[in-house]
Amino acid sequence: LPEDRNPFSAVMELHQRNASANGKILNYLSQTYLYPTNFETLVYASQLLQTQAIKYGVEHLRRNRGRCMGTLYWQLNDCWPVSSWSSIDYYGRLKALHYYAKRFYSPVLLSCTEIGEKTTRPFVIMEPGHYDYETKASLSITNDTLETVEGMVIATLRNNLGEPLGKKAYSVSVAPHSVLHLDEVDFHKTDVRKNYYSFELVVGDEVVSEGTVLFTAPKHFDFVDPKLEVTLEGDEIVVKAAAFAKSIEIYSPD
């Protein structure tokens, strides 16, 4: 019921079934995102938190193909309405993790290992002057198919409006069942509050894998109002943004 929609309500705690779980969720949330101002934002932020954690782990393991030959995540679905680690909720709706899993388990994956503020200064209370940091990134293409993948990797440093600050293109050929690691790029201490890194793998005319990374915690990035516009064009939902917008949710009761 509406009056139960608080993570510490009796109904929510009963459905949680893990005595320490709410504390863990809020602890990790505080390290990553700004404080949610309502229940719906809390639920969505917790889904993004889970998504980024599992994505980070799966991509790392897929970059280490040969040492690791597969992963599973817990869990798929739920037996009742609950805040949990499932990727499909009780009503059969996909949560954020399930959408992302389709991307980070794609047979051909472009992923990024980034070095930024959080690498050497994981907690905001640590004095900035005593913990110097670099901003670097290296891209990897994991090919779990039976065919050689040939294409172009386009990687761009951008500001928070999405405007390119510098771009590199790589022609790549990735053998079947292998991983290709591209050279690390040094951004020479770029502004971690305003700049981010975007990348895509294009095969033929199709973008088969893409992503973005920040060099600081999302809560410290200076996101600009993207002035989102959503329109329906036939069977397609078209979203336009005037600035960088990360992890947009499209929701409709229909």
Side-chain angles (χ1 to χ4, degrees):
L1 299 174
E3 57 266 29
D4 298 322
R5 293 172 192 174
N6 184 300
F8 305 126
S9 72
V11 172
M12 289 282 290
E13 288 189 338
L14 178 64
H15 282 214
Q16 177 52 260
R17 312 305 285 182
N18 184 325
S20 62
N22 283 338
K24 289 180 178 179
I25 292 171
L26 292 174
N27 178 28
Y28 295 137
L29 198 70
S30 72
Q31 298 176 36
T32 311
Y33 296 106
L34 296 177
Y35 190 76
T37 55
N38 56 54
F39 182 70
E40 289 75 16
T41 305
L42 172 63
V43 170
Y44 187 52
S46 71
Q47 288 191 22
L48 295 183
L49 182 73
Q50 176 201 27
T51 291
Q52 292 303 312
I54 294 184
K55 172 180 178 290
Y56 194 91
V58 170
E59 289 185 345
H60 168 77
L61 294 168
R62 291 194 66 189
R63 284 192 292 267
N64 283 272
R65 195 184 200 288
R67 182 183 179 195
C68 174
M69 295 303 291
T71 61
L72 293 171
Y73 70 78
W74 181 269
Q75 73 196 59
L76 180 67
N77 55 5
D78 275 317
C79 64
W80 57 7
V82 57
S83 288
S84 83
W85 41 23
S86 74
S87 63
I88 301 176
D89 76 7
Y90 170 75
Y91 298 101
R93 297 174 299 193
L94 306 189
K95 293 157 72 171
L97 172 59
H98 212 82
Y99 287 102
Y100 271 79
K102 182 178 180 179
R103 302 172 196 171
F104 60 68
Y105 277 128
S106 172
V108 178
L109 172 71
L110 175 63
S111 63
C112 180
T113 305
E114 77 276 10
I115 296 174
E117 183 180 32
K118 296 286 285 183
T119 308
T120 54
R121 186 172 170 258
F123 303 107
V124 70
I125 61 171
M126 300 166 72
E127 292 291 338
H130 295 168
Y131 297 91
D132 198 11
Y133 59 85
E134 304 289 338
T135 52
K136 299 178 180 180
S138 55
L139 297 172
S140 302
I141 304 111
T142 303
N143 179 12
D144 281 336
T145 75
L146 298 173
E147 306 293 334
T148 298
V149 172
E150 295 186 348
M152 186 73 66
V153 171
I154 303 169
T156 311
L157 183 69
R158 300 178 182 273
N159 63 21
N160 54 3
L161 295 176
E163 299 167 338
L165 304 176
K167 180 182 292 188
K168 287 192 174 185
Y170 309 84
S171 179
V172 296
S173 179
V174 191
H177 294 170
S178 72
V179 181
L180 175 65
H181 300 288
L182 302 181
D183 291 338
E184 184 177 71
V185 178
D186 189 343
F187 300 106
H188 305 290
K189 302 185 180 182
T190 192
D191 188 341
V192 298
R193 302 288 185 268
K194 294 185 181 297
N195 300 336
Y196 71 99
Y197 194 44
S198 71
F199 41 89
E200 60 182 18
L201 171 61
V202 182
V203 177
D205 296 326
E206 181 185 1
V207 177
V208 299
S209 186
E210 61 185 330
T212 61
V213 294
L214 306 178
F215 297 105
T216 188
K219 64 180 180 178
H220 295 148
F221 189 81
D222 185 14
F223 287 100
V224 178
D225 180 1
K227 297 181 173 59
L228 294 177
E229 296 181 6
V230 183
T231 56
L232 284 174
E233 296 183 5
D235 292 332
E236 290 190 340
I237 299 173
V238 179
V239 181
K240 294 182 180 180
F244 175 46
K246 189 172 176 68
S247 301
I248 296 172
E249 177 190 38
I250 299 173
Y251 175 80
S252 168
D254 300 321

